[in-house]
């Protein structure tokens, strides 16, 4: 333990840099996943015929073992940061698509009918009623995706990425537990913090909703 | 105003929801669509704002086929209130009410003013409720918001689909009253769906009765009660209501009249007559001869007028009846007669003989017997009888008042 604290004390600037890279990869991945996943979720909710196809594909991606997927991506995209972000993006996709889809389909049909009845166009209905009501679900998706992505990101160094995983692998390779912990503990903390923070945010979005 | 021209509605699954609907909703009227669950009321109503489209036939508003009107535009010009209230849970009360004005791009000041005005219209203090969310309101308050949301942009057509069915009876009554009041003020054309006959009878100008995708009968509430088109209508109205509403035609004057009247022979002197009236606390006497043939009546004023003439008798002051009813006449006819000629009472004759008297008091008592459960009869009579006081004095309640 002593060794761990000394190591952290001496290398904290480096560790913060790793954490920053870690967060950056996850953030980018989730951002892309939102940009792609929310529209796919909307399409799935609005076109029932496509729902199975979209959700099925996302599901296939999700069950792919992470290491195998990253290796596959490496073969296609080569080593590096981009490849890691693409991998994390693919992992984040399913939770976001699925939750957007569920969020939209759980909207009370009476409320949808009221929206149409007062004269909202299809897009107005989506943006003023359905999406706002689906927001708490979308946030759950983001939360789940973030926690998964933070975990998966620790294996990024294997395919040329950065992040806290670097310390974990250095620790293993050099048989240095202090370094291993210096990577693993902040990664775990990150996941916890992300979960907590997004949970708070989610509650705020869901405020006005009927009990 | 709104006209259905041979409209048929078949859903995608082949279910024929409406068969061949020809109907007109009149301008400025509150029309109630009523029928058992699943008979097609909502289907019919949603054809008016194009949430449904007809499989055959046309729906016209002001003689314009609405299939040529942009549905979004059309819906913004028609107020719509649904059963499950359908308030937007993520919007404040003000935003909910302002939905249509916003879609119509009113400016903010105008919208704010309108929202406050509408909240006051249904007795909700704007400062208190404006920024609340629907979940913070009671069911009755939510439904009020649902209604003013539909009124916001001053539509001249409003559709309400079972708006009050989920409310407790007291709140429901209140909202019914408010709706009727609003409609009388604003004169919109309202189509109101319900499956509750009491509600329909209370608020409707016209009732449209439906069954299995067909219209069974259309008419004023009174007409439907009195002349149900068939057994279905009868059973739907309910035996109880039918009895209370049509029973009047079955009852005759004989059952309603009072026989305890104060009669006197025409030979009676005037002093005696006054004494009799005083004793029996009446203001006139029915004059009959020894065979009980009806001759006329003598009021206290006529008697006092001639009181100085010592030899005058009732035969000198009495006036023959202008209106009498025969035994066996329906009571409704007698009531109509009394109403038309403002008669305080009307005598019933059997042949030429006096049989009894229909007075306001006797009618009230009859009503009480027929319509009220026994235990509440006492409570009801005094209040109602106040209107018939004058006549009440004429008839004798306690002891028999035979001829003198
Ligand atoms: N979208 C639909 N597809 C198929 N059948 C429907 C649909 N909507 C309603 N129906 C059927 O049409 C009938 C009439 O429905 P509705 O107009 O809602 O009845 P009501 O409002 O009188 O209770 C019902 O039997 C119902 O099951
Ligand atoms: Mg219905």
């Amino acid at each position: 333990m002593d060794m761990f604290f000394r190591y952290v004390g001496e290398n904290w600037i480096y560790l913060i840099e790793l954490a920053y890279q870690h967060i950056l990869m996850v953030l980018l991945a989730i951002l892309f996943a939102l940009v792609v996943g929310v529209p796919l979720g909307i399409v799935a909710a609005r076109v029932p015929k496509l729902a199975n196809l979209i959700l099925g594909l996302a599901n296939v991606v999700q069950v792919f073992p992470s290491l195998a997927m990253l290796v596959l991506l490496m073969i296609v995209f080569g080593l590096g940061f981009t490849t890691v972000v693409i991998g994390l993006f693919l992992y984040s996709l399913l939770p976001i698509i699925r939750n957007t889809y569920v969020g939209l389909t759980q909207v009370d049909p009476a409320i949808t009918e009221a929206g149409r009845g007062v004269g909202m166009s299809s897009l107005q209905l989506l943006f003023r009623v359905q999406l706002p009501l689906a927001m708490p679900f979308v946030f759950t998706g983001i939360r789940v995706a973030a926690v998964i992505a933070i975990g998966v990101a620790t294996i990024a160094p294997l395919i040329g990425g950065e992040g806290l995983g670097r310390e974990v692998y250095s620790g293993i390779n050099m048989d240095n537990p202090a370094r291993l912990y210096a990577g693993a503990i902040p990664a775990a903390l990150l996941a916890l913090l992300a979960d907590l923070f997004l949970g708070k945010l989610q509650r705020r979005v869901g405020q006005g909703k009927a009990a | 105003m709104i006209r259905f021209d041979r409209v048929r509605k078949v859903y995608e699954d082949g279910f024929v929801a409406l068969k061949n609907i020809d109907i007109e909703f009149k301008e400025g009227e509150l029309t109630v669509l009523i029928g058992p669950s699943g008979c097609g009321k909502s289907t019919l109503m949603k054809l008016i704002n194009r949430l449904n489209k007809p499989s055959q036939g046309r729906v016209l508003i002001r003689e314009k086929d609405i299939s040529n009107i942009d549905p979004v535009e059309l819906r913004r010009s028609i107020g719509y209130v649904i059963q499950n209230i359908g308030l937007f849970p993520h919007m404040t009360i003000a935003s909910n009410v302002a939905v249509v004005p916003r879609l119509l791009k009113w400016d903010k000041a105008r919208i704010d003013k309108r929202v406050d005005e509408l909240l006051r219209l249904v007795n909700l203090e704007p400062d208190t409720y404006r920024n609340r969310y629907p979940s913070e309101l009671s069911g009755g308050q939510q439904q009020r918001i649902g209604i003013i949301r539909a009124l916001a942009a001053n539509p001249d057509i409003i559709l309400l689909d079972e708006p009050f069915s989920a409310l407790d009876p007291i709140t429901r009554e209140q909202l019914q009253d408010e709706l009727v009041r609003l409609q009388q003020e604003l004169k919109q054309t309202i189509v109101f769906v319900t499956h509750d006959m009491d509600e329909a009878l209370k608020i409707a100008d016209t009732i449209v009765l439906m069954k299995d995708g067909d219209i069974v009968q259309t008419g004023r509430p009174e007409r439907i009660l009195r002349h149900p088109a068939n057994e279905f209508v009868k059973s739907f109205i309910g035996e109880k209501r039918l009895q209370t509403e049509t029973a009047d035609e079955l009852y005759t004057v004989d059952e309603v009249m009072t026989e305890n009247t104060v009669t006197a022979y025409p030979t009676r002197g005037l002093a005696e007559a006054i004494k009799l009236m005083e004793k029996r606390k009446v203001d006139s006497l029915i004059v009959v001869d020894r065979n009980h043939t009806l001759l006329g009546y003598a009021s206290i004023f006529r008697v006092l007028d001639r009181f100085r003439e010592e030899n005058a008798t009732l035969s000198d002051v009495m006036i023959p009846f202008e209106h009498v009813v025969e035994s066996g006449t329906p009571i409704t006819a007698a009531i109509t007669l009394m109403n038309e000629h403002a008669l305080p009472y009307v005598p019933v004759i059997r042949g030429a003989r006096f049989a009894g008297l229909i007075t306001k008091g006797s009618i009230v008592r009859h009503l009480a017997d027929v319509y009220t459960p026994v235990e509440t009869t006492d409570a009801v009579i005094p209040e109602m009888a106040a209107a018939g006081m004058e006549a009440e004095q004429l008839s004798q309640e306690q002891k028999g008042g035979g001829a003198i």
Side-chain angles (χ1 to χ4, degrees):
Chain A
M1 262 300 110
D2 242 18
M3 262 169 63
F4 168 71
F5 282 116
R6 207 168 56 232
Y7 180 82
V8 172
E10 283 165 7
N11 297 281
W12 62 275
I13 296 186
Y14 175 60
L15 286 175
I16 284 183
E17 198 190 318
L18 289 180
Y20 165 75
Q21 286 163 343
H22 204 105
I23 294 171
L24 190 68
M25 292 187 298
V26 171
L27 269 182
L28 280 174
I30 290 196
L31 212 70
F32 289 133
L34 277 174
V35 170
V36 176
V38 170
L40 280 177
I42 293 172
V43 171
R46 293 215 151 191
V47 191
K49 280 179 197 150
L50 291 180
N52 282 339
L53 182 73
I54 292 171
L55 293 172
L57 274 180
N59 211 23
V60 168
V61 172
Q62 187 75 29
V63 296
F64 230 86
S66 48
L67 199 56
M69 161 120 85
L70 290 180
V71 169
L72 249 166
L73 287 172
M74 189 181 69
I75 295 167
V76 182
F77 296 102
L79 283 173
F81 181 80
T82 319
T83 312
V84 179
V85 172
I86 292 174
L88 297 183
F89 157 76
L90 289 175
Y91 270 105
S92 308
L93 216 44
L94 177 73
I96 287 172
I97 295 177
R98 174 169 286 286
N99 279 283
T100 305
Y101 171 79
V102 171
L104 289 173
T105 46
Q106 61 78 43
V107 174
D108 184 349
I111 289 169
T112 311
E113 191 188 307
R116 292 216 300 144
V118 299
M120 288 185 186
S121 68
S122 183
L123 277 184
Q124 283 166 337
L125 187 64
L126 181 65
F127 285 110
R128 296 190 190 196
V129 177
Q130 294 171 320
L131 272 182
L133 290 177
M135 254 347 197
F137 291 82
V138 176
F139 263 82
T140 307
I142 296 176
R143 206 169 144 187
V144 172
V147 173
I148 293 176
I150 289 170
V152 174
T154 49
I155 57 172
L158 288 184
I159 49 167
E162 297 295 329
L164 292 165
R166 210 160 261 298
E167 280 299 281
V168 176
Y169 287 102
S170 302
I172 295 170
N173 288 339
M174 300 178 180
D175 199 13
N176 181 347
R179 291 193 77 174
L180 198 151
Y181 291 137
I185 292 174
L189 276 177
L190 264 187
L192 277 174
L193 282 176
D195 192 45
L196 220 74
F197 172 72
L198 289 169
K200 270 227 168 80
L201 215 62
Q202 176 186 11
R203 243 161 280 137
R204 288 187 54 177
V205 199
Q207 228 173 26
K209 231 182 100 60
Chain B
M1 183 78 172
I2 307 167
R3 192 159 68 82
F4 280 60
D5 177 23
R6 282 168 290 133
V7 172
R8 185 178 168 84
K9 174 69 192 177
V10 186
Y11 280 113
E12 294 84 63
D13 59 3
F15 182 82
V16 182
L18 294 175
K19 283 168 188 161
N20 188 25
I21 302 293
D22 268 313
I23 188 177
E24 173 152 17
F25 298 95
K26 295 209 185 71
E27 178 146 19
E29 273 203 1
L30 198 163
T31 306
V32 172
L33 291 178
I34 188 166
S37 179
C39 69
K41 307 180 292 291
S42 301
T43 302
L44 194 159
M45 173 173 271
K46 286 186 212 168
L47 284 162
I48 300 172
N49 62 2
R50 290 195 62 184
L51 285 175
N52 276 342
K53 72 171 205 285
S55 313
Q56 278 172 35
R58 301 177 304 162
V59 178
L60 305 105
I61 295 182
R62 293 194 190 82
E63 290 307 306
K64 256 178 79 179
D65 187 338
I66 61 169
S67 62
N68 300 324
I69 304 176
D70 173 52
V72 169
E73 294 295 317
L74 178 74
R75 287 176 204 144
R76 287 176 191 176
S77 72
I78 296 179
Y80 184 46
V81 184
I82 57 177
Q83 176 170 11
N84 310 329
I85 308 178
L87 293 184
F88 304 118
H90 59 299
M91 294 184 192
T92 61
I93 294 310
S95 304
N96 265 287
V97 175
V99 157
V100 183
R102 282 223 182 100
L103 291 169
L104 294 170
K105 305 214 162 36
W106 289 16
D107 63 62
K108 187 170 165 359
R110 186 176 170 207
I111 292 179
D112 291 347
K113 189 162 156 271
R114 181 67 177 148
V115 168
D116 287 3
E117 187 179 295
L118 287 163
L119 284 170
R120 278 192 210 100
L121 193 65
V122 289
N123 299 316
L124 294 172
E125 180 49 46
D127 290 336
T128 314
Y129 291 99
R130 202 186 284 124
N131 296 318
R132 293 205 180 164
Y133 284 92
S135 57
E136 299 171 293
L137 268 57
S138 73
Q141 290 171 331
Q142 289 185 28
Q143 197 51 280
R144 284 189 174 87
I145 303 300
I147 290 174
I148 59 174
R149 180 176 67 183
L151 295 175
N154 295 310
D156 48 12
I157 297 175
I158 299 173
L159 313 176
L160 301 103
D161 195 346
E162 307 207 16
F164 306 145
S165 59
L167 302 175
D168 65 274
I170 294 171
T171 313
R172 190 184 313 145
E173 290 264 331
Q174 269 176 4
L175 288 189
Q176 288 164 350
D177 291 338
E178 277 177 36
L179 180 74
V180 169
R181 174 173 62 83
L182 288 177
Q183 201 259 343
Q184 278 165 357
E185 258 170 54
L186 305 171
K187 288 278 167 250
Q188 305 98 336
T189 306
I190 295 186
V191 182
F192 187 109
V193 165
T194 184
H195 58 253
D196 175 359
M197 197 64 188
D198 288 317
E199 183 163 73
L201 292 172
K202 177 168 174 185
I203 65 173
D205 292 314
T206 299
I207 291 180
V208 176
L209 232 136
M210 295 181 61
K211 184 192 180 215
D212 299 339
D214 261 330
I215 291 174
V216 183
Q217 190 174 9
T218 304
R220 305 273 167 209
E222 181 70 13
R223 183 152 183 87
I224 288 186
L225 279 177
R226 285 181 185 277
H227 306 283
N230 56 32
E231 280 306 312
F232 167 75
V233 179
K234 265 190 209 160
S235 73
F236 196 76
I237 294 171
E239 289 302 324
K240 185 166 145 274
R241 240 184 249 104
L242 267 181
Q243 250 165 33
T244 55
E245 290 296 328
T246 55
D248 296 350
E249 292 182 355
L250 306 176
Y251 286 100
T252 63
V253 289
D254 305 67
E255 285 139 307
V256 180
M257 70 185 184
T258 171
E259 286 166 8
N260 296 330
T261 50
V262 188
T263 52
Y265 297 136
T267 50
R268 216 20 104 166
L270 296 190
E272 282 175 283
I274 284 182
K275 225 170 154 183
L276 179 62
M277 288 191 220
E278 195 179 63
K279 186 170 145 223
R280 304 287 296 270
K281 295 190 171 51
V282 296
D283 62 2
S284 48
L285 300 169
I286 307 295
V287 184
V288 295
D289 69 11
R290 301 212 176 249
N291 297 321
H292 226 68
T293 305
L294 182 65
L295 300 176
Y297 67 99
S299 73
I300 180 80
F301 305 109
R302 301 269 308 174
V303 174
L304 287 173
D305 221 26
R306 307 277 295 271
F307 191 62
R308 289 174 174 280
E309 304 169 30
E310 290 207 2
N311 294 328
T313 62
L314 280 178
S315 65
D316 299 316
V317 300
M318 72 171 198
I319 302 173
F321 281 104
E322 276 181 49
H323 305 279
V324 295
V325 293
E326 289 278 349
S327 158
T329 311
I331 182 61
T332 46
I335 291 172
T336 310
L337 186 74
M338 290 169 71
N339 260 339
E340 264 171 26
H341 303 279
L343 306 174
Y345 50 86
V346 61
V348 180
I349 51 171
R350 220 170 262 134
R353 289 164 54 94
F354 175 64
L357 210 55
I358 303 288
T359 69
K360 289 176 190 165
S362 71
I363 293 169
V364 170
R365 235 192 331 273
H366 167 74
L367 286 177
D369 286 347
V370 174
Y371 296 97
T372 9
V374 182
E375 61 272 18
T376 60
T377 302
D378 288 342
V380 173
I381 289 182
E383 195 190 340
M384 292 169 73
M389 277 290 282
E390 183 186 16
E392 187 64 28
Q393 289 176 357
L394 189 74
S395 66
Q396 270 294 326
E397 300 153 304
Q398 306 302 335
K399 284 155 266 171
I404 300 164

